[in-house]
Amino acid sequence: MNQPVEPMDGGLYAARQKIYPRDIDGRFQRLRTIAAWVLLGIFYVIPWIPWGQRQAVLFDLPARKFHIFALTLWPQDFYFLTWLLVIAALSLFFFTALAGRVFCGFACPQTVWTETFLWMERLVEGSRSQQMKLAKAPWTASKVLRKGGKQLLWITFALWTGFTFVGYFTPIAELAGKVAGFSTGPWETFWVLFYGGATYVNAGFMREQVCKYMCPYARFQSAMFDSDTLVITYDDRRGEPRGARKKGTDPKTKGLGDCVDCTMCVQVCPTGIDIRKGLQYECIACAACIDACDEVMDKVGYPKGLIRYDTQNGIDGKPKHVLRPRTIVYATLLVGLTIGFVYTLTHRNFVGVDVLRDRNALYRERPDGLIENVYNVKILNKDGDAHEFRVTATGLPGLAIEYAGPTVWVGSGDVQGVPVRIRVPRKELAGGADIEVTIEASDRPDLKASGKARFIAPTD
Ligand code: SF4
Ligand code: SF4
């Protein structure tokens, strides 16, 4: 059984005792396995999906283009990332208020990768009791072989994870060729080893300590809990007083509750806690203890659900509320932000224009009576294709424009500066006025953007 560890004599900190979670089968474990397969599948497969001439998801840092299937984002679009992070944070708040730490138990990368490493450990070293026996056994050839085999599996999987991670930033097929030929660049090598090393250490060794000591979410999640939040809980009114009994005994005749004190719920817990002591911040809501206890209840012939998903109100026999002010506020914000995000993303402009005044001269008075201002018009083309752009200006009567036209070629993802001269008859203005400069792709009238600038003229 996983025991709480006390500090050694005179020490301030308790040494970590390795946890050997018992393997368990049950409805929630099956759900977690499906979630792990889906999430790992998404992570490892996505970089290999082709999309035209490139891979479907590629964060091309040197070209400053971020491809996500048909979508290409530029550094100027980075506010979408901020927006997405706000949506992700709100989703976390919403689901935490509704269902507690469901993300931690089923979808957190730390949980998913730890589960995978545990699976490999069981594959090589056997069940929980076999692993514990092996840990205490002297170093024989068989032990070296088993421990070495496990490390080999872990390191291979961790390096594959590091390789896949880098494959999101550099074309993965090329990277695979470089890895096979031992010719990766210094940064690629560094990131494969760094990310692979982090996976190996976090999922192989640190495991529950990441959740207990490093994850900030574990610390503040209780602030989002209320009496109607779904948590994994032990029904102590039904379970206590706990105690062993013979099969078929009516617990009431012995003055006992339904808990047979088999400690199975503790043995399966990946963080080594005893849920019977109440809700603890170490609990990642993986529901393994529910599966374990349900199995025990089945065996002794008691109803399932001694440990179950429930709310504090449910346990106390009070009415439960799914809809309450905080869930309504989170849901409303979430829906509003998501609709806004999708609309803005699908209606964003693929071209942009910046109109900068020439700093060398405010204006020039020409012998033909025209006042001339010079601007540097920067055309940004965020479309996937190159385009020819026309430049026009409006805002003053008699305005004329001159630039190296009639069109300016701008490559995909490029910014092209164009010197533009704008002339206005002197009699039309005194002091100055605002003008608007517009750029428009000659082959795609929908690719259009405008920018304002000040036209300066003499005051008299
Ligand atoms: S107490 Fe239960 S739900 Fe919480 S981490 Fe342990 S096994 Fe998972
Ligand atoms: S698994 Fe159920 S019966 Fe066994 S100790 Fe835990 S709560 Fe009690």
Side-chain angles (χ1 to χ4, degrees), residues 234 258-265 276 292-293 296-297 306-307:
Y234 165 72
D258 281 359
C259 174
V260 299
D261 206 14
C262 62
T263 74
M264 285 299 285
C265 50
R276 294 173 301 171
C293 192
V296 175
M297 293 293 107
L306 178 58
I307 302 176

Side-chain angles (χ1 to χ4, degrees), residues 32 232 265-266 268-276 278 280 282-290 307 309:
R32 292 177 76 213
I232 290 173
C265 50
V266 187
V268 296
C269 179
T271 62
I273 59 167
D274 185 346
I275 192 70
R276 294 173 301 171
Q280 295 144 74
E282 293 97 331
C283 173
I284 57 165
C286 67
C289 52
I290 300 184
I307 302 176
Y309 272 107

Side-chain angles (χ1 to χ4, degrees), residues 197-226:
T199 307
Y200 174 70
V201 171
N202 285 340
F205 298 96
M206 297 189 67
R207 296 184 175 176
E208 82 289 347
Q209 295 183 92
V210 175
C211 313
K212 280 184 178 176
Y213 307 118
M214 292 165 69
C215 176
Y217 177 60
R219 306 279 160 175
F220 70 75
Q221 40 96 18
S222 60
M224 288 173 265
F225 279 28
D226 58 27

Side-chain angles (χ1 to χ4, degrees), residues 247-375:
K247 197 175 175 189
T249 312
D250 181 359
K252 289 190 187 73
T253 60
K254 295 268 180 192
L256 291 170
D258 281 359
C259 174
V260 299
D261 206 14
C262 62
T263 74
M264 285 299 285
C265 50
V266 187
Q267 290 181 40
V268 296
C269 179
T271 62
I273 59 167
D274 185 346
I275 192 70
R276 294 173 301 171
K277 291 180 182 165
L279 184 63
Q280 295 144 74
Y281 80 89
E282 293 97 331
C283 173
I284 57 165
C286 67
C289 52
I290 300 184
D291 283 335
C293 192
D294 279 353
E295 201 178 298
V296 175
M297 293 293 107
D298 257 357
K299 277 187 192 150
V300 295
Y302 300 161
K304 288 178 182 175
L306 178 58
I307 302 176
R308 62 178 181 270
Y309 272 107
D310 208 341
T311 64
Q312 191 53 52
N313 280 342
I315 289 278
D316 296 342
K318 295 179 188 164
K320 304 178 193 179
H321 312 93
V322 176
L323 288 180
R324 44 200 202 275
R326 79 165 66 195
T327 52
I328 294 171
V329 169
Y330 287 151
T332 311
L333 284 173
L334 202 54
V335 170
L337 277 171
T338 308
I339 291 173
F341 178 81
V342 173
Y343 181 85
T344 315
L345 193 65
T346 48
H347 288 76
R348 80 204 157 104
N349 201 347
F350 286 91
V351 293
V353 64
D354 257 345
V355 188
L356 308 170
R357 284 188 50 78
D358 180 15
R359 291 192 187 156
N360 294 324
L362 281 179
Y363 57 85
R364 192 163 77 88
E365 294 187 73
R366 288 165 50 104
D368 56 7
L370 297 174
I371 307 294
E372 180 180 272
N373 281 205
V374 180
Y375 303 87

